[in-house]
């Protein structure tokens, strides 16, 4: 625990791949620094919706998500954008 700065011994019994992947390194002497995990498991939701292009900004959606989700939302990423030619 001291070597990797792991704060909670219960993590050693974890099957969470976010924890386990941190200790897979190509070289045995590579230094490892533990990265804290979210207390919530990852959840990926894919949403699609139509928006009028004249009055919409991506920050409008981000503000709405932060207002509704609060601290539960850690990251929002725009993966793809499609604009119909018409």
């Amino acid at each position: 625990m001291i070597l990797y700065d792991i704060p909670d011994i219960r993590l050693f019994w974890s099957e969470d791949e976010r924890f386990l992947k941190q200790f897979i390194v190509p070289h045995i002497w590579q230094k490892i620094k533990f990265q804290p995990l979210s207390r919530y498991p990852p959840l990926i939701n894919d949403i699609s919706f139509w928006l009028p292009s004249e009055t919409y900004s991506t920050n409008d959606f981000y503000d709405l998500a932060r207002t509704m989700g609060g601290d539960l939302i850690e990251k929002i990423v725009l993966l793809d954008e499609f604009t119909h030619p018409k």
Side-chain angles (χ1 to χ4, degrees):
M1 287 178 66
I2 294 171
L3 180 62
Y4 300 118
D5 294 328
I6 298 174
D8 190 348
I9 196 166
R10 293 174 290 186
L11 287 171
F12 287 111
W13 288 273
S14 171
E15 294 180 12
D16 189 343
E17 68 180 50
R18 297 174 299 160
F19 176 76
L20 299 174
K21 283 184 178 179
Q22 294 185 36
F23 301 97
I24 299 173
V25 293
H27 198 273
I28 195 167
W29 291 287
Q30 182 176 340
K31 184 159 174 63
I32 299 172
K33 174 78 170 135
F34 171 70
Q35 300 296 319
L37 306 172
S38 170
R39 35 186 190 141
Y40 303 104
L43 176 65
I44 298 171
N45 287 328
D46 182 15
I47 61 173
S48 299
F49 46 90
W50 174 85
L51 297 167
S53 61
E54 303 86 32
T55 60
Y56 175 75
S57 168
T58 54
N59 286 333
D60 294 339
F61 178 75
Y62 298 152
D63 288 340
L64 175 66
R66 285 187 201 102
T67 300
M68 299 304 291
D71 290 339
L72 294 176
I73 298 176
E74 293 181 357
K75 184 177 176 182
I76 300 174
V77 178
L78 175 63
L79 295 177
D80 189 18
E81 189 172 332
F82 171 76
T83 303
H84 194 275
K86 292 184 180 180

